[in-house]
Amino acid sequence: PTDNHGVFNVLEKDLRYSTTLSNGNKKISFTSGSTGWSGTKLGLYRSHGKAYAEFKVNQAFSFVSGDGITVFVANDSNDSVSAGGGTGSAKLEAAYNAVDGSIYDGTSSQGTGTTWNTVNAVIGVYIDFDNGKGWFSKDGTVQTVNGTPNVETGANPHFTFTANTALTVGAGGVHYGTNGIVTLQNYAGEWATTPTSYTAFSTKAEGEA
């Protein structure tokens, strides 16, 4: 194979709260009945070019809190297992939280976007590695939290980082109430949006960058 696409990393998932992976490690379920938050990164990182990934909500959380479901960006040292949502998202490179819509840049909240704790909501993550910028979208709309964003021109990113840093994406959630379920969509054939010049988290895309 010459174009392997990233999936959730089974070696990093949180074993304490019985987080389960299925569908070729593309679907993550946050089992109910425990007390805690956990997250899982993709097993593939990129550091060049422009990358895009999507996460689709299959089952929403019943637990009403800022850390219900979180889509995040992480480097290889970020602890995605215990970072949590809400203010804990500052432990990650960036995060977009479902229930309260807050977007974090790895330091603090950048503002509030659209909430997305609903079935079939699709969260997109755009990362421009060569310019050190990134954005989140909900159902194809890049969120406006700190000025009008533009993923093609690089205007008003939701988070910044040192260019060409190796990063990946992931999803996290709590284990209270009804368990949430999220599916990774990591290639153009399954994306709800096809962004210009952005490619998947894959070995081919990274190698060609």
Side-chain angles (χ1 to χ4, degrees):
T2 59
D3 191 14
N4 298 296
H5 288 239
V7 295
F8 290 117
N9 186 355
V10 67
L11 299 178
E12 289 196 11
K13 78 182 185 73
D14 192 345
L15 300 176
R16 294 174 298 170
Y17 303 122
S18 300
T19 301
T20 58
L21 300 177
S22 60
N23 190 28
N25 291 348
K26 292 179 63 178
K27 180 177 288 188
I28 185 169
S29 301
F30 304 96
T31 306
S32 61
S34 301
T35 55
W37 187 98
S38 65
T40 303
K41 307 174 187 177
L42 270 62
L44 190 149
Y45 288 71
R46 283 191 58 177
S47 59
H48 297 85
K50 296 180 178 181
Y52 177 74
E54 288 181 348
F55 297 84
K56 184 175 182 177
V57 180
N58 303 115
Q59 181 169 291
F61 281 82
S62 64
F63 186 65
V64 181
S65 171
D67 60 0
I69 315 174
T70 301
V71 166
F72 61 81
V73 178
N75 62 40
D76 60 359
S77 64
N78 287 143
D79 181 9
S80 62
V81 168
S82 61
T87 56
S89 295
K91 299 178 183 178
L92 301 164
E93 289 293 310
Y96 183 11
N97 299 328
V99 178
D100 63 6
S102 59
I103 292 177
Y104 285 80
D105 69 350
T107 302
S108 60
S109 177
Q110 295 300 291
T112 302
T114 306
T115 60
W116 51 276
N117 188 34
T118 55
V119 175
N120 294 325
V122 176
I123 301 306
V125 186
Y126 299 79
I127 305 179
D128 180 348
F129 287 98
D130 297 335
N131 292 292
K133 299 178 179 181
W135 300 260
F136 293 99
S137 66
K138 191 262 183 176
D139 294 336
T141 300
V142 180
Q143 298 299 287
T144 300
V145 295
N146 54 0
T148 303
N150 190 312
V151 299
E152 301 302 333
T153 66
N156 297 309
H158 297 152
F159 60 95
T160 59
F161 56 93
T162 302
N164 303 124
T165 297
L167 300 174
T168 192
V169 293
V174 296
H175 295 262
Y176 305 104
T178 302
N179 57 306
I181 302 174
V182 178
T183 296
L184 166 70
Q185 299 179 163
N186 190 30
Y187 67 93
E190 61 185 3
W191 287 342
T193 299
T194 305
T196 303
S197 70
Y198 281 77
T199 52
F201 279 81
S202 74
T203 53
K204 182 178 180 179
E206 174 65 8
E208 290 181 343

